[in-house]
Amino acid sequence: MTLFEKIIAREIPADIVHEDETCIAFRDISPQAPTHILVVPKKVIPRVGDAEIEDKETLGHLLLTAGKIAQDEGIAESGFRVAINHGAHGGETVPHLHLHVLGGRPLQWPPG
Ligand code: 5GP
């Protein structure tokens, strides 16, 4: 079971801001910006490069949810970032696909 599956199963507590039949979204335990939320599919896709064509609808749903969360959090107007880390060089630490929604301050580019 991945760490995020344990959050989905309520075995590990998290500050959940959204849940539907396809995904869950909760605040990152180590926020890198005033708003830092993870959007996670309930289906375990390890990382974005492992997604299959059958995951197309799920991937679209995750992006739409990220945009809706940014609206709900009040960071859509000022601007925000959606980031996905794949593999060691990408900075991935949890092998269960997740979108980072970051905002509430100006973000640097490139991210480092
Ligand atoms: P990655 O580095 O894989 O792109 O992102 C994993 C993220 O999960 C990190 O930003 C990390 O802070 C967050 N994280 C790790 N463990 C937990 C946890 O137990 N609860 C929550 N809410 N976030 C976590």
PDB file of all heavy atoms in Angstrom, residues 29-56:
ATOM      1  N   ILE A  29       2.227  17.920   3.797  1.00  0.00           N
ATOM      2  CA  ILE A  29       2.700  17.951   5.183  1.00  0.00           C
ATOM      3  C   ILE A  29       3.886  18.907   5.345  1.00  0.00           C
ATOM      4  O   ILE A  29       4.161  19.383   6.453  1.00  0.00           O
ATOM      5  CB  ILE A  29       3.072  16.513   5.641  1.00  0.00           C
ATOM      6  CG1 ILE A  29       3.021  16.396   7.154  1.00  0.00           C
ATOM      7  CG2 ILE A  29       4.431  16.085   5.111  1.00  0.00           C
ATOM      8  CD1 ILE A  29       3.037  14.950   7.650  1.00  0.00           C
ATOM      9  N   SER A  30       4.558  19.204   4.259  1.00  0.00           N
ATOM     10  CA  SER A  30       5.729  20.098   4.285  1.00  0.00           C
ATOM     11  C   SER A  30       5.558  21.172   3.208  1.00  0.00           C
ATOM     12  O   SER A  30       6.226  21.147   2.161  1.00  0.00           O
ATOM     13  CB  SER A  30       6.997  19.270   4.050  1.00  0.00           C
ATOM     14  OG  SER A  30       8.114  20.096   3.981  1.00  0.00           O
ATOM     15  N   PRO A  31       4.645  22.119   3.457  1.00  0.00           N
ATOM     16  CA  PRO A  31       4.258  23.052   2.381  1.00  0.00           C
ATOM     17  C   PRO A  31       5.417  23.937   1.914  1.00  0.00           C
ATOM     18  O   PRO A  31       6.150  24.492   2.725  1.00  0.00           O
ATOM     19  CB  PRO A  31       3.139  23.886   3.021  1.00  0.00           C
ATOM     20  CG  PRO A  31       3.273  23.694   4.490  1.00  0.00           C
ATOM     21  CD  PRO A  31       3.903  22.360   4.700  1.00  0.00           C
ATOM     22  N   GLN A  32       5.537  24.045   0.611  1.00  0.00           N
ATOM     23  CA  GLN A  32       6.591  24.862  -0.003  1.00  0.00           C
ATOM     24  C   GLN A  32       6.067  26.222  -0.438  1.00  0.00           C
ATOM     25  O   GLN A  32       6.808  27.022  -1.045  1.00  0.00           O
ATOM     26  CB  GLN A  32       7.186  24.112  -1.206  1.00  0.00           C
ATOM     27  CG  GLN A  32       7.773  22.756  -0.851  1.00  0.00           C
ATOM     28  CD  GLN A  32       8.862  22.866   0.211  1.00  0.00           C
ATOM     29  OE1 GLN A  32       9.800  23.658   0.076  1.00  0.00           O
ATOM     30  NE2 GLN A  32       8.735  22.104   1.289  1.00  0.00           N
ATOM     31  N   ALA A  33       4.823  26.502  -0.142  1.00  0.00           N
ATOM     32  CA  ALA A  33       4.193  27.783  -0.471  1.00  0.00           C
ATOM     33  C   ALA A  33       2.984  27.906   0.455  1.00  0.00           C
ATOM     34  O   ALA A  33       2.551  26.903   1.046  1.00  0.00           O
ATOM     35  CB  ALA A  33       3.764  27.790  -1.941  1.00  0.00           C
ATOM     36  N   PRO A  34       2.429  29.119   0.612  1.00  0.00           N
ATOM     37  CA  PRO A  34       1.276  29.273   1.509  1.00  0.00           C
ATOM     38  C   PRO A  34       0.141  28.296   1.187  1.00  0.00           C
ATOM     39  O   PRO A  34      -0.523  27.793   2.100  1.00  0.00           O
ATOM     40  CB  PRO A  34       0.868  30.729   1.293  1.00  0.00           C
ATOM     41  CG  PRO A  34       2.157  31.421   0.944  1.00  0.00           C
ATOM     42  CD  PRO A  34       2.920  30.426   0.114  1.00  0.00           C
ATOM     43  N   THR A  35      -0.094  28.042  -0.083  1.00  0.00           N
ATOM     44  CA  THR A  35      -1.002  26.964  -0.485  1.00  0.00           C
ATOM     45  C   THR A  35      -0.180  25.882  -1.173  1.00  0.00           C
ATOM     46  O   THR A  35       0.547  26.169  -2.135  1.00  0.00           O
ATOM     47  CB  THR A  35      -2.095  27.474  -1.452  1.00  0.00           C
ATOM     48  OG1 THR A  35      -2.886  28.450  -0.785  1.00  0.00           O
ATOM     49  CG2 THR A  35      -2.987  26.333  -1.930  1.00  0.00           C
ATOM     50  N   HIS A  36      -0.246  24.667  -0.662  1.00  0.00           N
ATOM     51  CA  HIS A  36       0.460  23.528  -1.270  1.00  0.00           C
ATOM     52  C   HIS A  36      -0.410  22.297  -1.046  1.00  0.00           C
ATOM     53  O   HIS A  36      -0.464  21.750   0.062  1.00  0.00           O
ATOM     54  CB  HIS A  36       1.839  23.347  -0.649  1.00  0.00           C
ATOM     55  CG  HIS A  36       2.667  22.286  -1.327  1.00  0.00           C
ATOM     56  ND1 HIS A  36       3.988  22.052  -1.010  1.00  0.00           N
ATOM     57  CD2 HIS A  36       2.362  21.389  -2.316  1.00  0.00           C
ATOM     58  CE1 HIS A  36       4.459  21.070  -1.768  1.00  0.00           C
ATOM     59  NE2 HIS A  36       3.487  20.642  -2.563  1.00  0.00           N
ATOM     60  N   ILE A  37      -1.092  21.917  -2.097  1.00  0.00           N
ATOM     61  CA  ILE A  37      -2.065  20.816  -2.031  1.00  0.00           C
ATOM     62  C   ILE A  37      -1.655  19.735  -3.025  1.00  0.00           C
ATOM     63  O   ILE A  37      -1.183  20.039  -4.132  1.00  0.00           O
ATOM     64  CB  ILE A  37      -3.481  21.365  -2.326  1.00  0.00           C
ATOM     65  CG1 ILE A  37      -3.925  22.254  -1.148  1.00  0.00           C
ATOM     66  CG2 ILE A  37      -4.492  20.245  -2.580  1.00  0.00           C
ATOM     67  CD1 ILE A  37      -5.141  23.085  -1.399  1.00  0.00           C
ATOM     68  N   LEU A  38      -1.821  18.485  -2.635  1.00  0.00           N
ATOM     69  CA  LEU A  38      -1.540  17.350  -3.503  1.00  0.00           C
ATOM     70  C   LEU A  38      -2.857  16.784  -4.013  1.00  0.00           C
ATOM     71  O   LEU A  38      -3.791  16.578  -3.229  1.00  0.00           O
ATOM     72  CB  LEU A  38      -0.777  16.264  -2.737  1.00  0.00           C
ATOM     73  CG  LEU A  38       0.545  16.706  -2.106  1.00  0.00           C
ATOM     74  CD1 LEU A  38       1.149  15.561  -1.283  1.00  0.00           C
ATOM     75  CD2 LEU A  38       1.539  17.175  -3.161  1.00  0.00           C
ATOM     76  N   VAL A  39      -2.939  16.570  -5.317  1.00  0.00           N
ATOM     77  CA  VAL A  39      -4.117  15.963  -5.937  1.00  0.00           C
ATOM     78  C   VAL A  39      -3.700  14.571  -6.397  1.00  0.00           C
ATOM     79  O   VAL A  39      -2.765  14.430  -7.198  1.00  0.00           O
ATOM     80  CB  VAL A  39      -4.639  16.798  -7.122  1.00  0.00           C
ATOM     81  CG1 VAL A  39      -5.945  16.212  -7.655  1.00  0.00           C
ATOM     82  CG2 VAL A  39      -4.818  18.260  -6.723  1.00  0.00           C
ATOM     83  N   VAL A  40      -4.371  13.552  -5.872  1.00  0.00           N
ATOM     84  CA  VAL A  40      -3.905  12.168  -6.002  1.00  0.00           C
ATOM     85  C   VAL A  40      -5.033  11.292  -6.563  1.00  0.00           C
ATOM     86  O   VAL A  40      -6.136  11.278  -6.002  1.00  0.00           O
ATOM     87  CB  VAL A  40      -3.498  11.633  -4.608  1.00  0.00           C
ATOM     88  CG1 VAL A  40      -3.010  10.201  -4.694  1.00  0.00           C
ATOM     89  CG2 VAL A  40      -2.439  12.531  -3.967  1.00  0.00           C
ATOM     90  N   PRO A  41      -4.764  10.539  -7.636  1.00  0.00           N
ATOM     91  CA  PRO A  41      -5.797   9.618  -8.126  1.00  0.00           C
ATOM     92  C   PRO A  41      -5.978   8.442  -7.168  1.00  0.00           C
ATOM     93  O   PRO A  41      -5.007   7.984  -6.558  1.00  0.00           O
ATOM     94  CB  PRO A  41      -5.238   9.140  -9.471  1.00  0.00           C
ATOM     95  CG  PRO A  41      -3.753   9.247  -9.319  1.00  0.00           C
ATOM     96  CD  PRO A  41      -3.514  10.431  -8.408  1.00  0.00           C
ATOM     97  N   LYS A  42      -7.194   7.957  -7.045  1.00  0.00           N
ATOM     98  CA  LYS A  42      -7.421   6.783  -6.192  1.00  0.00           C
ATOM     99  C   LYS A  42      -6.804   5.544  -6.830  1.00  0.00           C
ATOM    100  O   LYS A  42      -6.316   4.653  -6.139  1.00  0.00           O
ATOM    101  CB  LYS A  42      -8.916   6.622  -5.922  1.00  0.00           C
ATOM    102  CG  LYS A  42      -9.423   7.723  -5.001  1.00  0.00           C
ATOM    103  CD  LYS A  42     -10.846   7.519  -4.569  1.00  0.00           C
ATOM    104  CE  LYS A  42     -11.197   8.563  -3.496  1.00  0.00           C
ATOM    105  NZ  LYS A  42     -12.622   8.547  -3.133  1.00  0.00           N
ATOM    106  N   LYS A  43      -6.809   5.497  -8.166  1.00  0.00           N
ATOM    107  CA  LYS A  43      -6.102   4.413  -8.856  1.00  0.00           C
ATOM    108  C   LYS A  43      -4.601   4.665  -8.716  1.00  0.00           C
ATOM    109  O   LYS A  43      -4.146   5.786  -8.957  1.00  0.00           O
ATOM    110  CB  LYS A  43      -6.489   4.385 -10.337  1.00  0.00           C
ATOM    111  CG  LYS A  43      -5.669   3.386 -11.127  1.00  0.00           C
ATOM    112  CD  LYS A  43      -5.971   3.371 -12.608  1.00  0.00           C
ATOM    113  CE  LYS A  43      -5.005   2.435 -13.320  1.00  0.00           C
ATOM    114  NZ  LYS A  43      -5.199   2.410 -14.781  1.00  0.00           N
ATOM    115  N   VAL A  44      -3.861   3.659  -8.324  1.00  0.00           N
ATOM    116  CA  VAL A  44      -2.407   3.846  -8.171  1.00  0.00           C
ATOM    117  C   VAL A  44      -1.732   3.792  -9.539  1.00  0.00           C
ATOM    118  O   VAL A  44      -1.547   2.720 -10.115  1.00  0.00           O
ATOM    119  CB  VAL A  44      -1.781   2.805  -7.228  1.00  0.00           C
ATOM    120  CG1 VAL A  44      -0.283   3.072  -7.092  1.00  0.00           C
ATOM    121  CG2 VAL A  44      -2.438   2.849  -5.869  1.00  0.00           C
ATOM    122  N   ILE A  45      -1.398   4.970 -10.042  1.00  0.00           N
ATOM    123  CA  ILE A  45      -0.505   5.107 -11.192  1.00  0.00           C
ATOM    124  C   ILE A  45       0.810   5.567 -10.566  1.00  0.00           C
ATOM    125  O   ILE A  45       0.829   6.594  -9.881  1.00  0.00           O
ATOM    126  CB  ILE A  45      -1.039   6.174 -12.174  1.00  0.00           C
ATOM    127  CG1 ILE A  45      -2.446   5.812 -12.670  1.00  0.00           C
ATOM    128  CG2 ILE A  45      -0.065   6.369 -13.336  1.00  0.00           C
ATOM    129  CD1 ILE A  45      -3.189   6.961 -13.337  1.00  0.00           C
ATOM    130  N   PRO A  46       1.898   4.814 -10.676  1.00  0.00           N
ATOM    131  CA  PRO A  46       3.103   5.190  -9.913  1.00  0.00           C
ATOM    132  C   PRO A  46       3.623   6.594 -10.235  1.00  0.00           C
ATOM    133  O   PRO A  46       3.983   7.337  -9.332  1.00  0.00           O
ATOM    134  CB  PRO A  46       4.118   4.107 -10.284  1.00  0.00           C
ATOM    135  CG  PRO A  46       3.282   2.926 -10.684  1.00  0.00           C
ATOM    136  CD  PRO A  46       2.066   3.512 -11.352  1.00  0.00           C
ATOM    137  N   ARG A  47       3.677   6.918 -11.523  1.00  0.00           N
ATOM    138  CA  ARG A  47       4.202   8.241 -11.915  1.00  0.00           C
ATOM    139  C   ARG A  47       3.690   8.551 -13.303  1.00  0.00           C
ATOM    140  O   ARG A  47       3.247   7.648 -14.023  1.00  0.00           O
ATOM    141  CB  ARG A  47       5.737   8.278 -11.831  1.00  0.00           C
ATOM    142  CG  ARG A  47       6.413   7.179 -12.600  1.00  0.00           C
ATOM    143  CD  ARG A  47       7.866   6.998 -12.210  1.00  0.00           C
ATOM    144  NE  ARG A  47       8.002   6.574 -10.816  1.00  0.00           N
ATOM    145  CZ  ARG A  47       7.797   5.310 -10.404  1.00  0.00           C
ATOM    146  NH1 ARG A  47       7.461   4.349 -11.258  1.00  0.00           N
ATOM    147  NH2 ARG A  47       7.915   5.007  -9.128  1.00  0.00           N
ATOM    148  N   VAL A  48       3.775   9.822 -13.688  1.00  0.00           N
ATOM    149  CA  VAL A  48       3.062  10.242 -14.901  1.00  0.00           C
ATOM    150  C   VAL A  48       3.527   9.472 -16.137  1.00  0.00           C
ATOM    151  O   VAL A  48       2.712   9.127 -17.009  1.00  0.00           O
ATOM    152  CB  VAL A  48       3.157  11.781 -15.102  1.00  0.00           C
ATOM    153  CG1 VAL A  48       4.581  12.233 -15.428  1.00  0.00           C
ATOM    154  CG2 VAL A  48       2.171  12.237 -16.164  1.00  0.00           C
ATOM    155  N   GLY A  49       4.816   9.144 -16.209  1.00  0.00           N
ATOM    156  CA  GLY A  49       5.326   8.427 -17.372  1.00  0.00           C
ATOM    157  C   GLY A  49       4.887   6.980 -17.426  1.00  0.00           C
ATOM    158  O   GLY A  49       5.120   6.298 -18.435  1.00  0.00           O
ATOM    159  N   ASP A  50       4.258   6.491 -16.369  1.00  0.00           N
ATOM    160  CA  ASP A  50       3.723   5.129 -16.345  1.00  0.00           C
ATOM    161  C   ASP A  50       2.237   5.093 -16.690  1.00  0.00           C
ATOM    162  O   ASP A  50       1.647   4.016 -16.735  1.00  0.00           O
ATOM    163  CB  ASP A  50       3.911   4.497 -14.955  1.00  0.00           C
ATOM    164  CG  ASP A  50       5.370   4.322 -14.586  1.00  0.00           C
ATOM    165  OD1 ASP A  50       6.179   4.114 -15.508  1.00  0.00           O
ATOM    166  OD2 ASP A  50       5.692   4.420 -13.389  1.00  0.00           O
ATOM    167  N   ALA A  51       1.632   6.257 -16.884  1.00  0.00           N
ATOM    168  CA  ALA A  51       0.202   6.294 -17.200  1.00  0.00           C
ATOM    169  C   ALA A  51      -0.039   5.650 -18.563  1.00  0.00           C
ATOM    170  O   ALA A  51       0.809   5.710 -19.466  1.00  0.00           O
ATOM    171  CB  ALA A  51      -0.301   7.730 -17.187  1.00  0.00           C
ATOM    172  N   GLU A  52      -1.192   5.017 -18.692  1.00  0.00           N
ATOM    173  CA  GLU A  52      -1.567   4.339 -19.940  1.00  0.00           C
ATOM    174  C   GLU A  52      -2.698   5.123 -20.601  1.00  0.00           C
ATOM    175  O   GLU A  52      -3.335   5.964 -19.964  1.00  0.00           O
ATOM    176  CB  GLU A  52      -2.073   2.917 -19.623  1.00  0.00           C
ATOM    177  CG  GLU A  52      -1.150   2.100 -18.738  1.00  0.00           C
ATOM    178  CD  GLU A  52      -0.123   1.308 -19.521  1.00  0.00           C
ATOM    179  OE1 GLU A  52      -0.036   1.488 -20.756  1.00  0.00           O
ATOM    180  OE2 GLU A  52       0.576   0.501 -18.880  1.00  0.00           O
ATOM    181  N   ILE A  53      -2.971   4.767 -21.835  1.00  0.00           N
ATOM    182  CA  ILE A  53      -4.036   5.455 -22.571  1.00  0.00           C
ATOM    183  C   ILE A  53      -5.371   5.337 -21.819  1.00  0.00           C
ATOM    184  O   ILE A  53      -6.179   6.267 -21.824  1.00  0.00           O
ATOM    185  CB  ILE A  53      -4.141   4.936 -24.031  1.00  0.00           C
ATOM    186  CG1 ILE A  53      -5.023   5.862 -24.862  1.00  0.00           C
ATOM    187  CG2 ILE A  53      -4.605   3.504 -24.117  1.00  0.00           C
ATOM    188  CD1 ILE A  53      -4.382   7.180 -25.190  1.00  0.00           C
ATOM    189  N   GLU A  54      -5.560   4.220 -21.121  1.00  0.00           N
ATOM    190  CA  GLU A  54      -6.808   4.033 -20.363  1.00  0.00           C
ATOM    191  C   GLU A  54      -6.919   5.012 -19.183  1.00  0.00           C
ATOM    192  O   GLU A  54      -7.984   5.150 -18.592  1.00  0.00           O
ATOM    193  CB  GLU A  54      -6.903   2.592 -19.848  1.00  0.00           C
ATOM    194  CG  GLU A  54      -5.913   2.304 -18.736  1.00  0.00           C
ATOM    195  CD  GLU A  54      -5.639   0.816 -18.514  1.00  0.00           C
ATOM    196  OE1 GLU A  54      -5.657   0.059 -19.490  1.00  0.00           O
ATOM    197  OE2 GLU A  54      -5.393   0.446 -17.361  1.00  0.00           O
ATOM    198  N   ASP A  55      -5.818   5.666 -18.850  1.00  0.00           N
ATOM    199  CA  ASP A  55      -5.813   6.632 -17.741  1.00  0.00           C
ATOM    200  C   ASP A  55      -6.135   8.056 -18.207  1.00  0.00           C
ATOM    201  O   ASP A  55      -6.124   8.990 -17.396  1.00  0.00           O
ATOM    202  CB  ASP A  55      -4.445   6.634 -17.042  1.00  0.00           C
ATOM    203  CG  ASP A  55      -4.096   5.281 -16.442  1.00  0.00           C
ATOM    204  OD1 ASP A  55      -4.994   4.656 -15.858  1.00  0.00           O
ATOM    205  OD2 ASP A  55      -2.934   4.851 -16.575  1.00  0.00           O
ATOM    206  N   LYS A  56      -6.429   8.196 -19.494  1.00  0.00           N
ATOM    207  CA  LYS A  56      -6.610   9.533 -20.076  1.00  0.00           C
ATOM    208  C   LYS A  56      -7.656  10.348 -19.321  1.00  0.00           C
ATOM    209  O   LYS A  56      -7.439  11.520 -18.992  1.00  0.00           O
ATOM    210  CB  LYS A  56      -7.006   9.366 -21.546  1.00  0.00           C
ATOM    211  CG  LYS A  56      -6.998  10.639 -22.339  1.00  0.00           C
ATOM    212  CD  LYS A  56      -7.007  10.353 -23.836  1.00  0.00           C
ATOM    213  CE  LYS A  56      -8.299   9.745 -24.283  1.00  0.00           C
ATOM    214  NZ  LYS A  56      -8.415   9.679 -25.768  1.00  0.00           N
TER     215      LYS A  56
END
